[in-house]
Amino acid sequence: MDLNLTNKVAVVFAASKGLGKAAALYLAAEGCKVAICSRNEHNLKQAQAELQKSSGSEVLTHVVDVGKKSDIDNFIQMIVDKWQKIDILVTNGGGPPVKPFMDTDDEEWHTWFENTFMSVVRSIKAVIPSMQKNKSGRIINITSVSVKAPLENLIYSNSLRLGVVGLAKTLAAELGPYGITVNNVAPGYHLTEGLERIIRTKVDMGFKREEVLEQWTEKIPLRRIGLPDDLAGLITFLASERSSYITGATIQVEGGMYSGVL
Ligand SMILES: NC(=O)c1ccc[n+]([C@@H]2O[C@H](COP(=O)([O-])OP(=O)(O)OC[C@H]3O[C@@H](n4cnc5c(N)ncnc54)[C@H](OP(=O)(O)O)[C@@H]3O)[C@@H](O)[C@H]2O)c1
C-alpha cells in the first residue's frame, strides 16, 4: 500500500529516543521530511544521524523542553520557515513518575500538567494555521493505554492523559471541516528506556526484573512486551492519506492487554 507520504513535513516531539524516535524513523522511511526535538542536544544529534542514515530523508533537530511554550513556538516557527508547511504532528513527551497518590504534591501536579497536557494544547495550536491554510493535516497524540484502564501508581498519567483524549475528540469536530484529523494512540508496555525506568522503580521495591516482565506478559494475550516499532506502524498509517476517514479515535496498541469491550 502506498502511503503517499513522500515530501510531507512531519514534526515529532520528544523523539530522540523511544516511541517518538521509532515514529520519526518510520515517517522518514516513507519519505517524509522530519523535524524532531528533545531536551538533550547530544541525544538529538545521534537520532538525526540514525534517521538520515536509514532513510536519506531531510531531518531537522531542535532542543525543546515540551513543558515550555516558547520552546514549542520557536520549534514550529523554525520548521515553517524552513519547509513552509506542516502536514503531520505527533505529540509526545517524557513519562510522568510512578508513585502513589499520597506521595504527589501540587508542584509536581503542575509540572506534569504542563508536560503532559499543555504541551499537547500548545503544539496543536502552533501547527493549526499551517494545516488550515493547506486544508489538510494529521495530528496524532501519543498517550497511553492508561486512558482506557488506569495503571497502578501512574496517577499523573492516568489523570492528565484523559484531558488529551477529551481535547482530541473536541478538536476532531472543530478541525474536521479543514481536512485535519486528530487521533490518539494508546500504547501498552513497549520496551524503551522510559519503560526500563518504570521497571527499575519496581526493582527498587524488591521485585526482580524478570518477575516484573513476566507479570506484565501474563496479562497480555499476545504474550510479549511491545517494541517501539509496534506503535510506529499505526502512527505512520494515521499520518497517511489512507487514514483520511478516521478522526477523534483513540486506538490502543497493547497486545490485547486492555480487557474492556470498547
Ligand atoms: N514505553 C512505554 O511502554 C509507554 C507506554 C505508555 C505510554 N508511554 C508514554 O509515551 C511517552 C514516550 O515514552 P518512551 O517510553 O518512548 O520514553 P523514553 O524512552 O524515556 O523517551 C522519551 C523521549 O522524550 C524526550 N523527552 C523527555 N522529556 C522531554 C521534555 N520535557 N521535552 C522534550 N523532550 C523530552 C527524551 O529525550 P531527552 O531526554 O533528550 O529530552 C526522549 O527522546 C511517555 O510519555 C510515556 O509515558 C510509554
Side-chain angles (χ1 to χ4, degrees), residues 158-252:
N158 296 341
S159 310
L160 297 167
R161 291 191 199 278
L162 285 163
V164 175
V165 175
L167 175 76
K169 187 72 186 165
T170 310
L171 289 180
E174 200 169 319
L175 300 176
Y178 296 95
I180 302 169
T181 65
V182 189
N183 293 293
N184 306 305
V185 294
Y189 298 118
H190 295 253
L191 267 185
T192 61
E193 284 186 25
L195 190 69
E196 290 293 350
R197 276 194 300 279
I198 293 181
I199 295 170
R200 276 200 297 279
T201 64
K202 301 257 181 200
V203 170
D204 291 345
M205 289 172 194
F207 295 95
K208 290 201 178 86
R209 185 175 186 278
E210 295 67 40
E211 277 173 2
V212 176
L213 291 173
E214 246 174 65
Q215 271 180 18
W216 286 345
T217 307
E218 269 169 21
K219 292 183 192 143
I220 300 172
L222 290 177
R223 292 290 185 273
R224 68 174 176 90
I225 305 291
L227 296 171
D229 284 8
D230 292 318
L231 186 72
L234 174 63
I235 291 175
T236 308
F237 174 71
L238 288 174
S240 77
E241 293 298 322
R242 305 294 173 201
S243 70
S244 61
Y245 206 53
I246 302 174
T247 195
T250 298
I251 305 174
Q252 65 263 29

Side-chain angles (χ1 to χ4, degrees), residues 13-21 37-41 43-44 64-67 92-96 112 115 142-146 151 157 161 186-195 197-198:
F13 277 80
S16 64
K17 295 188 175 182
L19 302 179
K21 187 175 85 175
C37 69
S38 83
R39 295 162 304 176
N40 180 301
E41 183 146 32
N43 294 343
L44 269 177
V64 168
D65 182 339
V66 299
N92 187 30
W112 288 105
N115 276 271
I142 298 183
T143 62
S144 166
V145 73
S146 68
L151 296 168
S157 177
R161 291 191 199 278
Y189 298 118
H190 295 253
L191 267 185
T192 61
E193 284 186 25
L195 190 69
R197 276 194 300 279
I198 293 181

Side-chain angles (χ1 to χ4, degrees), residues 25-93:
L25 277 162
Y26 268 53
L27 290 165
E30 290 297 324
C32 290
K33 297 173 183 169
V34 179
I36 58 170
C37 69
S38 83
R39 295 162 304 176
N40 180 301
E41 183 146 32
H42 174 73
N43 294 343
L44 269 177
K45 291 296 165 201
Q46 274 191 336
Q48 182 184 37
E50 199 180 325
L51 260 76
Q52 278 170 340
K53 193 171 168 205
S54 65
S55 66
S57 291
E58 281 185 78
V59 181
L60 191 122
T61 65
H62 194 54
V63 172
V64 168
D65 182 339
V66 299
K68 293 185 182 153
K69 181 180 184 319
S70 57
D71 281 12
I72 292 173
D73 289 344
N74 292 340
F75 180 46
I76 297 300
Q77 190 57 54
M78 192 179 133
I79 301 159
V80 174
D81 287 348
K82 185 167 170 64
W83 288 325
Q84 288 76 50
K85 63 168 186 169
I86 292 177
D87 299 300
I88 299 153
L89 166 69
V90 180
T91 70
N92 187 30

